[in-house]
Amino acid sequence: MYYCISFTHKNTDLALREKLSFSDEKKKKEFLKIVKTNENIDECLLISTCNRVEIVAFVKTLCAEFIIASLALLCDSDKKILLQKADIFQDQAAIHHLFSVASSLDSLVVGETQIAGQLKDAFVFALENNFCAIHLSRALHSAFKCAAKVRNETQISKNPISVASVAVTKAKELANLSQKQVIIIGAGEMGELAARHLIAAGARVIILNRNLQKAKDLCEKLGTLSQYDSLENLKQYLNQYEFFFSATNASYAIITSKLLQDLPYKRYFFDLAVPRDIDLNESENICVFSVDDLKLVVQKNLALREQEARMAYSIIGNETAEFFSYLNDLALAPIIKAIRLQAKQYAHTQLELALKKGYLKKSDKEEARKLIHQVFKAFLHKPTMNLKQLQGKVQSDTVINAMRYVFDLKTDLEGLNQYKCEFNMENNDEMD
């Protein structure tokens, strides 16, 4: 069963999301290891971004309490509060939610393009560390296919919008950015996005980063309107310029009140990080905008894209149904193959027994074999056609389990562990 536990901007505030964030791979690996110790959890992966923490899993039974208890323990949070806040999805709902996330329909900024890459990184990390296998691989590959279809068949990602672009839009409402010198703290993906949008707005940017080579590489990509410097010089920049965009992976605030001097002009700080990079007391001349403060701009974005979002959800609904139809196809084909193989084995055994006991002459063996084949072929034709007609239908799981029980078939059939079943149902009517 597919399972998803979701904490996002929709159900949790920024303070709680900060506690739940996984900024380093060591902590992420530790959490997934704990989750995998539960015998009912076969596969799992973790998505952690500035607006969401999601645990996607393939499980034998419901196990939200265990997963959330593990999360609470590792992130020093209250389990009861997490249980109250979490959105929990099962099977079809879980896949629909996953496809919505991949297609950026569940993002704070609908249509933003970062989430697909973040989801791919989470998948690769889980795969390389043996936390997920065939079941989540199928789901994630289908999620990326769905996201591509949404991008190609709707305008929802036209003129891509991200949290960084929304922050720059807000900054443009506060002042004319043309020729302004803007400080960006952090040379990661979010810092790069903010820099590109600021340069497009006419600003010049200075990138501050601990790793100077990374900052230099980014400036080479950005061009002549960018400079770089060491993060060690942060204090002098804080007390010289007006606009600051911070997006680091630090686990604590790096911009605090003790670094600031009183100045006679306004300074604007945009905190794009979770956990937050900025811990300042706001005043007449100090304005701080966090991720959650940008919601008004986001709502305008959502209204403009509402029609495209409806089209996108229609695609996601169809792709969800197609995914489960695909799983049903994988399950039905091995069932049909196993029943036919069982019939063949019984026919062969009974034919040899008849020859051994003298019920048939050896000279009649080939004719008897052909007759038996025709009998079981005729007998199995209707059941086979009926099973094929169940492909993609909700009741197929019930029928499949009944067939497994009635014919005493193995539940872990070989075909269930393949991306595509190689068994050709149409051309398997012969006994040999």
Side-chain angles (χ1 to χ4, degrees), residues 188 208 366 409:
L208 303 184
E366 186 59 25
L409 302 175

Side-chain angles (χ1 to χ4, degrees), residues 7 65 68-69 72 77-86:
F7 300 93
E65 191 159 345
I68 289 175
S77 299
D78 190 315
K79 185 181 84 169
K80 289 182 180 178
I81 291 176
L82 295 186
L83 282 167
Q84 290 169 359
K85 297 284 187 182

Side-chain angles (χ1 to χ4, degrees), residues 17 22 42 53 100 105 138 148 151 153 194 204 207 212 214 270 282 300 302 320 336 360 368 383 412 414 428:
R17 295 204 307 277
F22 288 77
D42 295 329
V53 172
S100 298
L105 267 291
R138 285 173 181 160
R151 284 196 305 272
E153 296 185 13
R204 304 176 68 87
I207 310 292
L212 266 184
K214 190 172 181 180
F270 292 85
E282 292 198 62
K300 291 178 182 177
L302 186 59
T320 300
I336 294 170
L360 289 172
D412 186 22
E414 183 180 354
N428 199 52

